Amino acid sequence: MTQSWSGQRDRRVPLAARGGRSPVVVIGAGPYGLSVAAHLRAQGVRVRVFGEVMGSWRHAMATGMFLKSTPDATDLSAPVAGATLADYCRARGQDELTELTPIPCTTFVAYGQWFADRHAGEVEEPRVTSVERGPAGFVVRVEGGEEFAARAVVVATGLSGLAHVPGQFHALTPDGPHPDALVSHTSQHQDLARYAGQRVAVIGGGQSALESAALLHEARAIPTVLVRENRVRWGEPPEPARPLARRVVSPSAALGTGWSLLAVSRAPGAVRRLPAAARMYLFRRALGPSGGWWLRERVEGIVPVRTGCHVDEADADRSGGARLRLSGREPGALSVDHVLAATGYRLDLERLPFLSASLRREVRRAGGSAAPHLSTAFESSVPGLYFTGSLAAPCFGPVMRFVAGTAFAATRVSRHLTRGAARL
């Protein structure tokens, strides 16, 4: 019956007319969820937002971390003036943040909460437990037993539930990574001081790995960073007054400097029109692992970093720690008390258990990935089911992995929902 109803549905009819007074449900209250909610509410759309405001930023970032992005790439999006990070700082009587000012995660969280109060409206904290097809769109269930109809669902859960730990470490943590186990993922930590006095292998060469290593060292732990690449890449310090010639050769963009980064920052819609292989190349290669320029002095010459290093095998040792067998430039073994995986995330719809299995099966995947294929309006192959943020990156490019993509995504989603535009 569900398939029959789905097949008969006229997708040319505006969604606002199809769903009566049923709300649009936004799942997630981070930068993308809050921005979509702000745009929809400004258009008079009834919205219910579920999640903890800035929850991942509050609980999946260790104390003392900073954003890698510059202030002009860190604004949430609302269709009215007065919603930027600079507006927040002025409202709080704080000094203006510049590109030479690394942004503390605590400041960004406070800005997100301020934005939610003023632009996104009520955010409900009960967790969404189930989304499945319904006769007028979707049936949504939340913790506590409430069940209701929604005419559309926007998934804006960020990287929650998508943390990836390579297979060679699974034997060390058969019940999954955890701060109290031999292996944890960087997204599971708020305070790395718990490892004071312990030997910690940090796996990875990106910002998360390098900043975690600095924080571990400063908390009197003994970190060693293991990097597969042959060198660690660092960002260049900003030059606020670059000569015109240099700006022409290498223009500034939300994701960095250079014409390629300018293109993927400014034109995610054009990225979507590329062949699948080209999109996936951009997704994987446009921004490789690197550390922020301001972090370099806290790592180089202070924290041991082994480049060109691969962990082939990891086993528990008799002392209760782990023994890592390494290959590469310096083959051998490394004994540690804990392994901290800064090994990124895997974008996979199967790791979103709140979407029913039948609903996940209906969602077409983007070529070369396990993420959803999306229309120009971020709508999946299931009418009325939208995805934003990182899960949209295989279609729209790497800008969707950063706050800088919120304006593009929120504008497209809200326009489609309020005007009922046909999929292009």
Side-chain angles (χ1 to χ4, degrees), residues 42-384:
Q43 296 294 323
V45 177
R46 185 183 172 207
V47 185
R48 293 187 69 177
V49 184
F50 290 89
E52 182 181 2
V53 175
M54 303 297 284
S56 293
W57 294 87
R58 292 165 66 179
H59 303 304
M61 297 281 185
T63 301
M65 282 194 164
F66 292 79
L67 270 64
K68 191 176 175 182
S69 303
T70 56
D72 61 357
T74 314
D75 292 331
L76 278 65
S77 178
V80 295
T84 67
L85 177 60
D87 292 318
Y88 163 76
C89 290
R90 281 192 291 270
R92 288 289 183 267
Q94 298 178 4
D95 292 338
E96 179 183 359
L97 295 169
T98 73
E99 57 187 323
L100 295 173
T101 313
I103 305 168
C105 284
T106 51
T107 297
F108 184 59
V109 167
Y111 163 54
Q113 293 170 320
W114 175 88
F115 179 97
D117 291 341
R118 285 155 181 77
H119 301 285
E122 180 185 6
V123 176
E124 303 177 58
E125 288 202 359
R127 183 174 59 90
V128 172
T129 58
S130 172
V131 177
E132 58 186 31
R133 289 273 206 165
F138 303 91
V139 175
V140 178
R141 298 179 180 87
V142 300
E143 282 181 330
E146 183 184 5
E147 178 181 309
F148 61 94
R151 60 185 176 92
V153 172
V154 181
V155 178
T157 49
L159 295 169
S160 178
L162 303 177
H164 170 66
V165 174
Q168 58 264 46
F169 299 105
H170 291 180
L172 292 177
T173 178
D175 297 325
H178 189 275
D180 292 329
L182 280 175
V183 179
S184 64
H185 191 272
T186 49
S187 64
Q188 297 176 308
H189 290 280
Q190 290 180 271
D191 187 4
L192 292 170
R194 65 187 298 148
Y195 299 115
Q198 297 187 38
R199 301 162 298 169
V200 181
V202 182
I203 313 298
Q207 176 72 12
S208 180
L210 298 168
E211 191 169 11
S212 294
L215 290 170
L216 284 164
H217 172 78
E218 290 157 8
R220 300 184 184 280
I222 309 167
T224 300
V225 184
L226 306 179
V227 183
R228 285 187 305 177
E229 302 297 327
N230 290 326
R231 66 185 182 94
V232 173
R233 296 174 60 238
W234 298 99
E236 293 293 329
E239 296 181 67
R242 288 194 304 157
L244 176 61
R246 292 189 62 184
R247 283 183 279 144
V248 170
V249 172
S250 185
S252 297
L255 302 185
T257 58
W259 284 102
S260 61
L261 292 182
L262 180 68
V264 298
S265 298
R266 297 276 185 88
V271 172
R272 182 191 169 275
R273 292 193 290 270
L274 294 173
R279 291 201 312 269
M280 291 308 298
Y281 179 83
L282 281 175
F283 170 69
R284 295 188 175 113
R285 304 294 296 179
L287 285 168
S290 66
W293 62 271
W294 45 265
L295 179 61
R296 192 169 188 168
E297 65 182 12
R298 294 167 57 194
V299 176
E300 278 195 343
I302 296 174
V303 177
V305 177
R306 298 173 66 169
T307 57
C309 178
H310 190 273
V311 180
D312 294 326
E313 190 175 347
D315 298 299
D317 61 26
R318 294 179 180 178
S319 68
R323 184 175 175 82
L324 311 183
R325 185 165 62 85
L326 309 178
S327 61
R329 286 180 172 175
E330 302 178 56
L334 178 67
S335 294
V336 296
D337 300 300
H338 187 78
V339 175
L340 180 60
T343 45
Y345 301 82
R346 288 287 173 87
L347 305 182
D348 187 349
L349 281 183
E350 295 305 314
R351 298 178 72 174
L352 303 182
F354 59 85
L355 297 179
S356 69
S358 60
L359 192 58
R360 294 197 303 270
R361 284 194 296 270
E362 287 189 71
V363 177
R364 177 185 167 193
R365 302 309 198 260
S369 81
H373 175 81
L374 302 174
S375 75
T376 57
F378 290 79
E379 189 180 30
S380 72
S381 56
V382 175

Side-chain angles (χ1 to χ4, degrees), residues 24-42:
V24 173
V25 168
V26 177
I27 305 176
Y32 280 86
L34 295 175
S35 296
V36 169
H39 280 256
L40 289 174
R41 285 193 162 124

